[in-house]
Amino acid sequence: MTAYIVRRLLYAIPILIGVNLLTFMLFFVVNSPDDMARMHLGQKRVTEESIQSWKAERGYDRPLLYNAEAGGLASLTDTILFQKSVKLFVFQFGSSDAGRDIGYDISQRMWPSLAIAVPVLLIGLAFNISYALFIVFFRATYVDIGSVVLLVAMMSISGLFYIIGGQFLIGKLWHLVPISGYDQGLNAWKFLILPVIVGVVGGIGAGTRWYRTLFLEEIGRDYVRTARAKGLSERVVLFRHVLRNALIPILTGVVVVLPLLFMGSLITESFFGIPGLGSYTIDAISNQDFAIVRAMVFLGAVLYIIGLILTDISYTLVDPRVRLE
């Protein structure tokens, strides 16, 4: 397993280089360093000297990809791409274009993101699996048909509807919790309840329907018929056999999502005013802060690769027949 993990980590290096290069190309196709300088300094009455000074302070005064004036290896290393990218691979994110320490901002903003994402994942997972088992228990009945119709309807509704509807109903009409905002420490709970409820409800349709499909596939297998022939009750068959054998696809979905919990939800955090990594990324895109956008995309790629490796490792824990070579 150690050799497998090392090999997967080595495979990740060209992937991260490609992600970083693609992010760089897409960003600077839309914005030039001069455009970024004008936006940060203000569109009106910006002198050329101010633009050049801003670019020099932040390292944008070099060529983008190739420095024809420099000789040898410096023609590739003395560029914006190399200077802004090489430190990412040792997780030195540097400073944003506004002068803030990106690493410090990430360490502070990850906790509000986790405070929303972890409860949504755990509560949603428990509810969706339980509801899916309930539907499978009453399969081919009106309970099954009605539930499927409800789930498809919930899947068809935009996530923005759940956010706006939750804010209006729970926050404005019933006045149970604040509509948006955030507070530090234990006082944050009242600001987290509504985003967590919206996140759980918004994921019921797709999550439960997917788990229902997994369980129905397992119901028709030979080991289930054997368990029933031994006289086991349907409840024991579902929870002791079907659920256990469906853990591999369930773990695939859960473990891949785990690292992405740190990244936060772009839409949810923006609508509820949560100072997490999701709103941090949205603000960076709006302000054309390439340093933050680059760091967040790179961090997301690293976490996603880690999630895939953890998924493969989890297979060996659930199914002893799986070997990583």
Side-chain angles (χ1 to χ4, degrees):
M1 182 182 293
T2 302
Y4 173 82
I5 295 175
V6 172
R7 187 168 63 252
R8 289 293 300 270
L9 292 176
L10 292 177
Y11 289 161
I13 295 177
I15 295 176
L16 293 176
I17 293 175
V19 168
N20 185 63
L21 181 60
L22 183 61
T23 305
F24 182 88
M25 296 291 292
L26 291 176
F27 193 91
F28 281 103
V29 163
V30 179
N31 305 284
S32 68
D34 288 349
D35 295 333
M36 296 165 57
R38 289 189 182 93
M39 181 171 182
H40 285 274
L41 295 174
Q43 294 289 341
K44 297 181 180 180
R45 300 172 185 174
V46 179
T47 64
E48 186 64 26
E49 291 77 10
S50 299
I51 294 176
Q52 296 302 324
S53 176
W54 186 92
K55 290 166 57 178
E57 290 176 358
R58 290 158 180 80
Y60 292 115
D61 55 338
R62 301 180 177 90
L64 291 178
L65 299 173
Y66 182 78
N67 192 344
E69 298 179 357
L73 188 61
S75 61
L76 297 176
T77 59
D78 192 20
T79 59
I80 295 178
L81 173 63
F82 185 85
Q83 295 296 328
K84 296 292 184 181
S85 303
V86 65
K87 292 183 179 179
L88 289 178
F89 289 88
V90 291
F91 298 100
Q92 293 182 8
F93 300 116
S95 300
S96 67
D97 294 337
R100 294 182 58 86
D101 187 343
I102 298 177
Y104 176 79
D105 286 345
I106 292 175
S107 66
Q108 295 298 309
R109 285 176 171 264
M110 62 180 287
W111 302 112
S113 294
L114 288 174
I116 296 177
V118 171
V120 169
L121 174 66
L122 296 180
I123 297 174
L125 188 66
F127 181 86
N128 293 342
I129 291 178
S130 301
Y131 189 21
L133 288 172
F134 174 78
I135 296 173
V136 172
F137 186 83
F138 292 99
R139 60 192 175 280
T141 64
Y142 288 112
V143 174
D144 185 13
I145 297 173
S147 296
V148 171
V149 172
L150 175 63
L151 295 176
V152 172
M154 296 182 70
M155 290 173 58
S156 305
I157 298 174
S158 171
L160 293 177
F161 175 84
Y162 292 110
I163 294 176
I164 298 174
Q167 287 179 327
F168 176 78
L169 185 64
I170 301 177
K172 186 175 182 180
L173 197 61
W174 293 345
H175 300 286
L176 297 178
V177 292
I179 294 178
S180 63
Y182 191 74
D183 199 357
Q184 300 295 328
L186 297 178
N187 294 326
W189 68 268
K190 58 185 178 182
F191 296 99
L192 298 175
I193 291 179
L194 185 54
V196 170
I197 292 175
V198 169
V200 171
V201 174
I204 289 176
T208 304
R209 193 163 182 267
W210 184 56
Y211 293 134
R212 172 184 174 274
T213 302
L214 295 179
F215 297 147
L216 286 178
E217 289 179 357
E218 294 294 327
I219 281 290
R221 298 188 184 276
D222 293 337
Y223 73 87
V224 175
R225 288 193 290 268
T226 302
R228 289 186 182 131
K230 292 180 178 179
L232 298 179
S233 65
E234 191 69 14
R235 179 180 59 82
V236 174
V237 170
L238 283 176
F239 285 93
R240 183 176 297 178
H241 297 280
V242 173
L243 180 59
R244 180 182 299 175
N245 284 276
L247 280 180
I248 285 185
I250 291 175
L251 282 176
T252 301
V254 173
V255 179
V256 170
V257 169
L258 283 178
L260 301 181
L261 297 179
F262 291 88
M263 303 303 295
S265 173
L266 302 179
I267 298 177
T268 301
E269 292 180 4
S270 298
F271 269 85
F272 288 103
I274 305 297
L277 293 179
S279 59
Y280 188 54
T281 305
I282 288 291
D283 293 341
I285 296 174
S286 301
N287 297 328
Q288 297 184 11
D289 197 320
F290 171 67
I292 297 177
V293 174
R294 179 202 66 228
M296 295 305 297
V297 172
F298 182 85
L299 183 60
V302 170
L303 293 176
Y304 189 76
I305 292 172
I306 293 175
L308 294 178
I309 296 175
L310 291 177
T311 301
D312 293 340
I313 295 175
S314 66
Y315 288 166
T316 63
L317 301 177
V318 175
D319 191 346
R321 297 171 298 178
V322 177
R323 292 288 185 271
L324 300 180
E325 298 178 356

